[in-house]
Amino acid sequence: MLYSKNNVMIYEKLFTAIEQHVPLSEIEKNSIRSYSVVKKFRKHQYLLQEGNISYTENFVVKGCLRSYEVNEKGQEHVIQFSVEDWWAGDLLSFLTEQPSSYNIDCLEDTEVIQFTKTGLDRLYDEVPMVERYFRLLLQNAYIAASDRLLSTLSKSAVEKYDDFIKKYPHIEMRVTNKQIASYLGITPESLSRIRRQYVLLPNS
C-alpha cells in the first residue's frame, strides 16, 4: 500500500514515540497504519463530550487539547492537557465502553492518529510489541495519576506550579491563565501571585 508523503511524516511521529519503548519492523509499522486513521479537528471542536463513550484513543500529532470535568456548580476542573506526542482520551470509558465524565476539546487546530478498541485488539494480535507499548503507557498513566493526587494533597501551590512547568514546558504560551489555574486548583489571581514567588526561587 502506498502512503502520501504527508501521512508518512505524520506516522513517523507516532513510530518515534513508540520506538522510545519498543522496536518496530516495517511490517509492524504498516499494520499500525492499517488499524488507525488520521483525523483533523478545528480549534474549539470536541474530541469527546461528557456522557458519550470514548470510542478512540488518540495520539496527538499536532495541537493542544484539554480534558476537563464540570461540577454541579458549572465550574470547570482541568484534568490534563495533551500536546504533541501525548495521548488524549478517556481511557476508563474507552476500556469499559461506559459514558465518560470528561470533556475533551481542542485549544488549537489539532491533528491526531485515532485507534478504536476493536482495531487495537486486532493490532495486539498482529503486533505484540504494540500491546507491550500500551501496557507501558498504562503503567506510566497510573504513576502520573498517583503523583498528581499526592501533589494535590501534600504540595504547596508554588511546588504544584513547578511540577506543572516541568510537565508541560512552553505550554503557557498556548493555554489561558484561567485554564492553568483550573488545572492547579487555584484562582487566576493566586496564579499571578505564585508566578511572582516562583521567579524568586533559586532553581526557577
Side-chain angles (χ1 to χ4, degrees):
M1 182 180 293
L2 296 177
Y3 298 94
S4 70
K5 183 177 180 180
N6 187 46
N7 263 17
V8 169
M9 293 176 64
I10 288 170
Y11 274 95
E12 278 306 312
K13 294 184 178 183
L14 173 61
F15 298 150
T16 297
I18 294 175
E19 288 180 316
Q20 289 177 359
H21 302 278
V22 297
L24 291 173
S25 69
E26 286 303 316
I27 293 175
E28 290 170 332
K29 290 178 181 179
N30 285 334
S31 293
I32 291 171
R33 291 188 185 99
S34 67
Y35 286 113
S36 60
V37 294
V38 176
K39 287 286 186 71
K40 293 182 179 181
F41 295 86
R42 294 191 180 277
K43 183 178 180 179
H44 302 311
Q45 266 192 289
Y46 281 92
L47 184 72
L48 176 68
Q49 288 186 277
E50 179 183 356
N52 293 337
I53 296 173
S54 182
Y55 287 111
T56 61
E57 274 295 295
N58 307 271
F59 177 80
V60 183
V61 176
K62 172 188 174 185
C64 179
L65 302 98
R66 169 186 61 151
S67 303
Y68 67 96
E69 59 181 359
V70 181
N71 66 16
E72 63 278 0
K73 296 180 180 179
Q75 298 169 323
E76 295 180 358
H77 296 282
V78 176
I79 308 300
Q80 175 179 293
F81 297 104
S82 299
V83 293
E84 289 83 2
D85 298 335
W86 282 57
W87 288 83
D90 181 346
L91 192 57
L92 179 61
S93 174
F94 179 76
L95 294 175
T96 63
E97 298 184 350
Q98 296 298 310
S100 176
S101 301
Y102 299 152
N103 297 282
I104 303 177
D105 64 352
C106 299
L107 303 180
E108 302 171 352
D109 288 349
T110 296
E111 195 165 18
V112 300
I113 299 174
Q114 291 189 329
F115 294 85
T116 64
K117 190 172 186 299
T118 300
L120 269 183
D121 287 341
R122 291 175 179 171
L123 190 56
Y124 291 162
D125 290 335
E126 285 190 22
V127 186
M129 282 298 180
V130 171
E131 183 173 20
R132 181 180 175 189
Y133 167 71
F134 273 94
R135 187 169 67 248
L136 291 171
L137 280 187
L138 278 173
Q139 292 173 359
N140 291 338
Y142 176 78
I143 292 170
S146 298
D147 286 346
R148 178 99 195 267
L149 178 60
L150 182 62
S151 174
T152 300
L153 295 174
S154 63
K155 291 189 176 182
S156 69
V158 174
E159 289 172 326
K160 292 176 189 176
Y161 180 71
D162 183 57
D163 287 344
F164 172 79
I165 293 299
K166 291 174 180 175
K167 185 174 184 178
Y168 298 107
H170 314 302
I171 200 174
E172 288 188 284
M173 302 298 293
R174 305 172 70 176
V175 301
T176 66
N177 288 342
K178 183 178 179 181
Q179 290 163 351
I180 295 173
S182 174
Y183 176 88
L184 295 173
I186 59 177
T187 65
E189 293 75 20
S190 296
L191 176 61
S192 297
R193 184 178 67 253
I194 289 165
R195 279 177 170 152
R196 290 194 295 270
Q197 296 172 357
Y198 185 77
V199 296
L200 299 176
L201 295 177
N203 295 323
S204 64

